[in-house]
Each structure stands twice: as C-alpha cells, then as structure tokens.
Amino acid sequence: MFAGHDFTFKKIFSFLSIIGCVGIYSLATVCAKFAAAHDFFSVQFILIYILEIICLGIYALLWQQLLKKYKLSTLYSYRATALMWVLLWSVVIFGESITMQKAIAVMFVLIGMIVVSRNE
C-alpha cells in the first residue's frame, strides 16, 4: 500500500504521541485566554490558572519521556504543530474563523517541520 515507506504501528504511535504532547501544551494557551476573561485573582481566574499549570505539568512530564527516545532537534521541530493546535482550538472553542492567510502560514510551518524531521 505504501511502497517504499516504513509505516509501522510504532512510527504512527510515536508521531501521535509527539503531536498529542504538543496538543496538551497548546491547551495551556486556551486556559490563559479563559483566565484573562476574569478579574485578576478572582476564584475563577485562580481555578483556570491552576488548570493551566496542570496542563503545563503534564506536558513537561510527557516531554521528558519523549526526550529519552528522540533527538531534541526532531522533537523541537514538532513543537511547531502548536500553531496548528491553537488554530484548531480558536475555531472549535472560541468560534474564531480561519483565514486563508492563517491556513497558508500554518501549512508552511508544517511543511518545514516535515522537512526537518524527515530523515529521523
């Protein structure tokens, strides 16, 4: 089916693990936007801020495990997918729209990520 390519379950799982980890990282940004809508140090602000710290903590633990298995240059190139995640969250959660300019910009970043990590 994919002649000349090594599409194994392990590679797919690895890819999804890295992308998922960055997705968790991007949720911290969503929490920050929600927290910004509340008065500084209000109960809601503090609870949402705690959720943001939890997201960042989970991300940090997962990132450390990924660093054991992959090159830093490869992993860091995948962090660019945070732009894709934030664009997705902005549409799904905040009802923002995707402009052609935003879509093209994210595509260029993703292509760059693929080029950097292609031979890993």
Side-chain angles (χ1 to χ4, degrees), residues 22-103:
V22 176
I24 291 169
Y25 171 73
S26 70
L27 286 173
T29 305
V30 172
C31 292
K33 181 154 175 77
F34 277 122
H38 299 283
D39 292 332
F40 192 59
F41 283 122
S42 67
V43 173
Q44 297 91 345
F45 176 87
I46 292 170
L47 291 175
I48 296 169
Y49 196 75
I50 289 170
L51 183 59
E52 180 179 358
I53 291 170
I54 289 169
C55 287
L56 290 172
I58 292 168
Y59 161 75
L61 293 173
L62 293 173
W63 190 256
Q64 291 300 315
Q65 296 307 306
L66 291 169
L67 284 170
K68 291 178 183 179
K69 297 178 182 179
Y70 306 101
K71 294 179 182 179
L72 179 60
S73 60
T74 301
L75 284 178
Y76 207 77
S77 70
Y78 277 87
R79 288 219 21 215
T81 61
L83 292 171
M84 174 196 68
W85 281 110
V86 169
L87 190 62
L88 175 69
W89 301 139
S90 71
V91 171
V92 172
I93 298 172
F94 300 108
E96 296 177 9
S97 61
I98 298 176
T99 64
M100 184 61 73
Q101 187 177 10
K102 289 178 186 177

Side-chain angles (χ1 to χ4, degrees), residues 80-81 84 105-115:
T81 61
M84 174 196 68
V106 169
M107 290 297 289
F108 275 121
V109 169
L110 293 177
I111 290 168
M113 178 204 69
I114 291 167
V115 169

